[in-house]
Amino acid sequence: MDLFLSTFEHRVDKKGRLSVPAPFRSVLERRRDPLYLFKSLTEPCLEGCGPERIGQIVDAIDSMDSLSAEVATLQTMLSSAQEMKLDSEGRIMLNADFMAFAELNDAALYAGIGRSFQIWLPDRYRGREAEARARAKTNGLPSLRLGRTNSTSSDNGGS
Amino acid sequence: MDLFLSTFEHRVDKKGRLSVPAPFRSVLERRRDPLYLFKSLTEPCLEGCGPERIGQIVDAIDSMDSLSAEVATLQTMLSSAQEMKLDSEGRIMLNADFMAFAELNDAALYAGIGRSFQIWLPDRYRGREAEARARAKTNGLPSLRLGRTNSTSSDNGGS
DNA sequence: TGGGATAATATGGGATATCATGGGAATTGA
DNA sequence: TCAATTCCCATGATATCCCATATTATCCCA
């Protein structure tokens, strides 16, 4: 199982080019997957993933009532999605819409979150991370009790 | 079942390299597991584990409401997680973020805690250990509830 | 049981490969 | 033709590989 993990901060040069982190590239290359980006529905960042996630959204729409508000929401995701072509150095070009949506200027932060990743304005991301850590300290960690596999009386993964 | 146990103090050289204790390495090699590190959510240390714990977090996210604060917390864990590649001498390279988070400089202490381990600034770890022992003397031991093999309804092991 | 031989381990340094990044030239499209 | 992209190459920084060495642990045989 290869995942998008860790964070990387890269520069956006004056031509608008942005390197995709080498570990993310190798995940995609290993699967021979193109890269898709779309605007997050809930946060001011871009989401990156491979085709399987796009396919999941399409399938979800097909299985839902086409008049529901949820379908409209999912369609919004798809209509902002774009297949990104990498240049020979592994960089993508962000169009003006993407740049404005995430409020990027000369730097971008990739945050791997497993099956997908996000692209943030670096300072904004770090603020969110600090908030999440503060919350975890006061509220405790989410319980990860998945009950499957060899879950014994293991204590939390954090701490 | 082989576990991460005991403590080891190793040097961080000027290139940022840190030997993984041989007993920890052999646990991972025996399971053919890569090593993952991430920043603890609650303490100033790094956490080390195998892929199964990372997979649990990914699966938990998928099964939760993507707008919840808990998902944000779990995503914070993933976005600090990193698959560590060992060099031919069994060392990892700690990036600047990891070093700064745990406030490491030229030495690091591994503390095995069963299914995972932690990496601490040595003096800080020893201080915490002394505190824990003092607490045990005044408050008594936590009940250990031994003798239950793989309980199904495992209660919160979290202390 | 003792003690020398042997292997494993932690650590360091130099050489090499990879990566992010920038810039110029060629190409495309309106 | 002009502007914007795409291709290609250069470069500095950094990670990775490979080898050396000191120290410690393990083995083996007298």
Side-chain angles (χ1 to χ4, degrees):
Chain A
M1 176 205 312
D2 34 26
L3 299 168
F4 300 108
L5 295 176
S6 188
T7 66
F8 305 87
E9 187 174 344
H10 286 167
R11 287 186 53 75
V12 181
D13 70 20
K14 49 197 89 155
K15 289 181 173 180
R17 296 177 297 189
L18 173 64
S19 287
V20 176
F24 289 7
R25 272 190 336 245
S26 65
V27 168
L28 294 165
E29 283 162 12
R30 199 163 24 242
R31 301 197 293 224
R32 278 179 243 274
D33 274 355
L35 166 63
Y36 292 87
L37 286 189
F38 58 92
K39 295 188 269 186
S40 166
L41 277 177
T42 57
E43 315 210 63
C45 69
L46 306 174
E47 304 250 354
C49 64
E52 83 295 335
R53 194 151 201 99
I54 302 291
Q56 285 171 1
I57 300 171
V58 172
D59 292 344
I61 290 176
D62 286 349
S63 69
M64 289 165 70
D65 172 10
S66 60
L67 294 178
S68 73
E70 282 143 326
V71 162
T73 302
L74 294 175
Q75 286 174 343
T76 303
M77 294 174 66
L78 291 182
S79 65
S80 80
Q82 188 178 340
E83 182 179 333
M84 307 303 291
K85 39 184 177 296
L86 306 206
D87 72 12
S88 54
E89 275 71 42
R91 290 174 289 199
I92 54 179
M93 279 219 48
L94 298 178
N95 63 38
D97 186 32
F98 279 166
M99 293 282 291
F101 183 82
E103 297 180 62
L104 304 174
N105 41 52
D106 68 339
L109 187 146
Y110 287 85
I113 50 175
R115 296 189 219 285
S116 63
F117 60 85
Q118 299 179 335
I119 299 177
W120 285 83
L121 180 68
D123 284 345
R124 191 193 305 272
Y125 175 82
R126 283 187 275 264
R128 301 274 176 137
E129 181 184 349
E131 284 172 22
R133 290 186 178 278
R135 247 198 328 270
K137 264 191 189 140
T138 58
N139 301 349
L141 295 170
S143 59
L144 271 186
R145 231 147 306 284
L146 302 174
R148 293 182 314 103
T149 60
N150 51 2
S151 103
T152 64
S153 59
S154 75
D155 61 33
N156 52 39
S159 169
Chain B
M1 170 190 312
D2 32 28
L3 298 169
F4 300 109
L5 295 175
S6 184
T7 66
F8 305 88
E9 187 174 342
H10 285 166
R11 285 186 53 75
V12 181
D13 70 20
K14 51 197 86 158
K15 287 181 172 180
R17 296 179 296 191
L18 173 65
S19 286
V20 176
F24 290 7
R25 273 194 330 250
S26 65
V27 168
L28 294 165
E29 282 162 14
R30 198 159 29 241
R31 300 198 294 226
R32 276 179 246 272
D33 273 356
L35 166 63
Y36 291 85
L37 285 190
F38 59 92
K39 296 187 276 184
S40 166
L41 277 174
T42 56
E43 310 205 69
C45 69
L46 306 173
E47 301 255 351
C49 65
E52 81 294 334
R53 174 153 282 160
I54 302 293
Q56 284 176 355
I57 300 171
V58 171
D59 293 341
I61 289 176
D62 285 349
S63 70
M64 290 164 74
D65 171 13
S66 61
L67 291 178
S68 73
E70 292 193 333
V71 163
T73 304
L74 294 175
Q75 287 180 343
T76 300
M77 294 176 67
L78 288 184
S79 62
S80 84
Q82 192 177 337
E83 183 179 332
M84 308 303 292
K85 31 188 176 298
L86 306 207
D87 71 12
S88 52
E89 276 71 41
R91 291 173 289 197
I92 55 180
M93 275 226 40
L94 298 178
N95 63 35
D97 187 33
F98 278 169
M99 293 281 291
F101 183 82
E103 296 182 65
L104 304 174
N105 40 53
D106 68 340
L109 185 146
Y110 287 85
I113 52 174
R115 291 182 221 292
S116 62
F117 61 84
Q118 300 180 336
I119 299 178
W120 286 84
L121 179 68
D123 284 347
R124 191 195 303 275
Y125 177 81
R126 284 187 275 264
R128 302 269 175 143
E129 184 185 355
E131 284 171 23
R133 289 186 180 280
R135 252 198 320 276
K137 262 190 189 148
T138 59
N139 301 349
L141 287 173
S143 61
L144 270 184
R145 244 185 298 274
L146 298 174
R148 302 201 328 184
T149 61
N150 247 354
S151 69
T152 52
S153 64
S154 74
D155 56 307
N156 310 357
S159 56

